[in-house]
Each structure stands twice: as structure tokens, then as C-alpha cells.
Amino acid sequence: MCLAVPAEVLSIDADVAVCRVDRGQTTVKASLMLLPAAPEVGEFLIIHAGFALRVLDREEAEESLRALNEAVGCPLGTGTEE
Amino acid sequence: MSFELLEKFRDPALCRKILDKMESELDRELRFMEVCGTHTVAIFQSGLRSLLPEKIVHLSGPGCPVCVTHESEVNAFLDLAGHENVILATFGDLMRVPGDKGRNLKKAVADGARVKVVYSPFDTLKLAKENPGDLVVFIGVGFETTAPTIAATMKMAREQGIDNLRILCFHKTVPTALDALLSDEAINIDGFILPGHVSAIIGVEPYEFIAENYAKSAVVTGFEPLDILQSLNQMIEWRNKGEAHVANNYTRIVGEHGNPKALEIMYEVFEPCDALWRGLGLIPGSGLEIRPEWESFDAKKQFGIEIKESPALPGCKCGDILKGVKQPDQCPLFGKACTPANPVGPCMVSTEGSCAAYYKYKLD
């Protein structure tokens, strides 16, 4: 039941966002009623059953990737170069 | 933000490095349970299940909403399906869940019941407006991820003056179920992969009892391979040091205190109650029921529905599987009498059920 893929906000109208799922043509509508603050176009949302639950935090995503690389003893980005 | 950034959480070479690190540091068995059904599917779909070190024992927990819906709850909505002037609205997952005597919603539809599959509880508002002479009853299953969406829908219905929407409320809460699992001495779990989206609502604090009271580790985790591997890696490190912690490894989505607005709306409409879980039985305080101020929405009260213990389906081991006591292929029905085409138990019905995932990815 949980849609785990973040969706990109394409437009917002009357507290409802139209979002693109992955890179495809599929769009979904999401009520923003449960979010503490409205997102901006281009941000990514976690959507469940037609409601946005959270806005994805880019800085936290980058920080956790950095921590992951450190955890295995290599600087950021070297994982993909092998 | 870009999709490229998110895809870095699938980096195969980094996954390999973490797997190698885990292999070298794991000198004892680690029994971990992932709680969320979406994690169950992610672990199989990404191939992680076959890549993990042999000393890691993977268990699927009670985090699939369909799987934990109690037999008597299933019978309750199947009984309601035949009721005059009732349109049942449901997520598609519940259509094939078997009740007693082989009943399910698909068969009820064939017998003339009006059942509407919806993508969102929000869709029930339109359905109710279009059918003013009927009662639209939404089957509310799921955890803290889903409950706020239904609470928000009820608020919108009240604001719009829609008076023919009812909710059959079977919501359950995750931390109380984990407490019940950990207090059962027959269940042997070293650590939990905690659900990402439930945690986006409730935050991290409600899980801290896992380390404080039971000295077990648990990590709030995302759904990409690196999320899952890093959480397992952390739990191995803590175990080797003789430590237990609860941590948040999904900070890009989960804040320390969750989503306060969603929690506020959820608890404005619902309050805690005792609940029956399939396989786990009665867990005090583990359910959500509609508050008296909102009882005009309450289908249980309107139709006099009582949920009580009932015999489990004969031969079905879903209860033991949800507790991590048995693996799916240890059920005598698995792959024989019980298959995705003809499911006997709910763990085979839901695409997020451990039996369905095990069948699809292990047998194919």
C-alpha cells in the first residue's frame, strides 16, 4: 500500500499538487493538506493514498550519501567509479 | 533535487562494499525483522535477499496492512457488502482477502454487492456526492501512514456537508505491535528495520523503548538497497560492541518528531483503542477508533459491528509468519493449496505480503 517512490511536483493548484512519478509520463495528484508547509515546484514528495506526507530533504539526502561512503572508507562518488 | 541523486541510493558498487564489510564483521547469526510490507517487496525485488550474508536471517513482520487485518474484521466488511443501500469503498488490496466460508469481496461483487476500489480515501467524497441515496462505507485499514489520510477525508466531508460517508475503522499502530512481539519470549529477533513512511508521521521517539526496555536495535530505514544495507550494517556494528540503539537512517524523509500536522489531524479524529491483529491476537492500545465527536462517521456504531476473537483459517500459518516464528515455505499450504492465484491466507493475498513475495521471487 505504501508508494515508496518520491514524486516531483510539477504544479500546485488549490492545495493539490500534480506530481510526476519517476521519469515517466505518469502523473498523480496529491493533497497537500497533511503537510506543515506547501512545497515548491521541483521538490519531491512522498505520497500515500493521494496525500503528500513529507517533502524530501535534499541536504539530508546528500549528507546520508556522504556518511554511507565514509562508512565503507571511500570518499563520495568512488563507489560508482569501480 | 533530481532523480539522479535518489538513484545514488542504488549504487551497485557501494552496495557491494557494504555487503563485503558486513560479511567480514558478522561472526554470529543476526535475526532481523523488517516491519513494513514495502520493505519486504524491496528486499526481494532488489535481489538483496539472495546477496545478504548467510548468517543474516531475514524475517517479515506485521507491517502489511492487509496481512494483519483480523479474520473477524474481514467477516465484518464482507457482511456489510450485502447490505442494502451500502456502497463499500476500499483499497484494491482487500478485494481477494478471504473471510470465512471462502468469501471475499470479489465474490461479493459477483453476487451483486456494490464495491468500489479507490486510489485514495479522498475519492470517497465524490462517490458519496454522486450517490446521495446510499451510504458510502470506506474500509479503513492500515497504520499511521494511512490513518491521517482518512482523518483528513472525514474533515473535508464535514466541511462540505457530506453526510452519507461512513468509515469502518480498523486502523492499527506499529510501535505497540513491536512491543507485543518483543515481550513474547518465543520470538527471537535481534533488530528491526523500521518502516519509513509510518515513521514519517510518528517520528523516531515512539520506538525508543526497543533499545531501552528490550536492549534490541532498530533503524528507521528507506526503501532503496543502500538504505537497507546500511541499516543492517549499523545493527551488526552495534551488536558486535554489545550495544543496542534506535536510529534514524532515513533523515531525508523522516524528521525526529515526524509530521506534527498529520499527527494532529489523526488524533483530532481518532483515539487509541484495543485491537485484534491476525496472528498476534488482542494487543491493548494498538488500534485507532473514531472519537465520539466524529461518531456520525462510525460504521461500526451505525451497523452494530463487534470485533471479537474467531478461529483462524484451517492450516494457515500467516500468524506464525507475521511473528517471525515461521518462514513462508514452512507453512504446509504454501505453494500448494495457497498460491497468489488462489490465496488462503492474507500473507499470500497482498502484493506486500511475505508469502506472496517469497512465492514470486524465490520460486520463479
Side-chain angles (χ1 to χ4, degrees), chain B residues 78 81 95 104-117:
Chain B
L78 289 171
M95 289 301 289
N104 65 33
L105 284 177
K106 274 192 87 171
K107 289 176 184 170
V109 171
D111 291 338
R114 290 184 293 167
V115 181
K116 179 82 174 171
V117 173

Side-chain angles (χ1 to χ4, degrees), chain B residues 25-32 55-57 188-191 215-218 231-245:
Chain B
E25 292 180 4
L26 197 60
D27 55 5
R28 292 172 288 165
E29 189 176 274
L30 175 77
R31 293 172 63 84
F32 84 93
K55 288 192 178 72
I56 285 187
V57 179
N188 178 14
I189 299 165
D190 293 305
K216 307 284 186 185
S217 289
S231 294
L232 290 172
N233 185 48
Q234 281 177 323
M235 288 197 282
I236 291 168
E237 287 179 359
W238 293 330
R239 187 177 160 160
N240 288 349
K241 290 180 193 168
E243 298 174 1
H245 301 279

Side-chain angles (χ1 to χ4, degrees), chain A residues 1-3 22-23 33-35 44 46 48-49 51 53-54 56-58 60 68 71-72 79-80 82, chain B residues 1 3-4 7 11 13 17-18 21 38 65 91 93 120 145-146 197 230 251-253 255 258-259 261 352:
Chain A
M1 288 173 75
C2 299
L3 183 62
D22 212 340
R23 287 189 180 80
M33 189 177 171
L34 297 177
L35 289 183
F44 282 65
I46 291 293
H48 177 72
F51 288 81
L53 301 182
R54 290 286 293 193
L56 201 142
D57 187 322
R58 182 189 174 91
E60 287 287 356
L68 271 169
V72 292
T80 47
E82 292 191 354
Chain B
M1 181 57 63
F3 286 112
E4 286 74 17
E7 282 178 356
D11 183 338
K17 286 185 178 184
I18 297 177
K21 187 167 181 290
T38 309
F91 294 130
D93 310 47
S120 165
T145 328
T146 314
H197 297 164
Q230 177 62 353
T251 51
R252 63 187 187 273
I253 293 295
N259 180 337
K261 187 170 180 190
E352 295 186 346

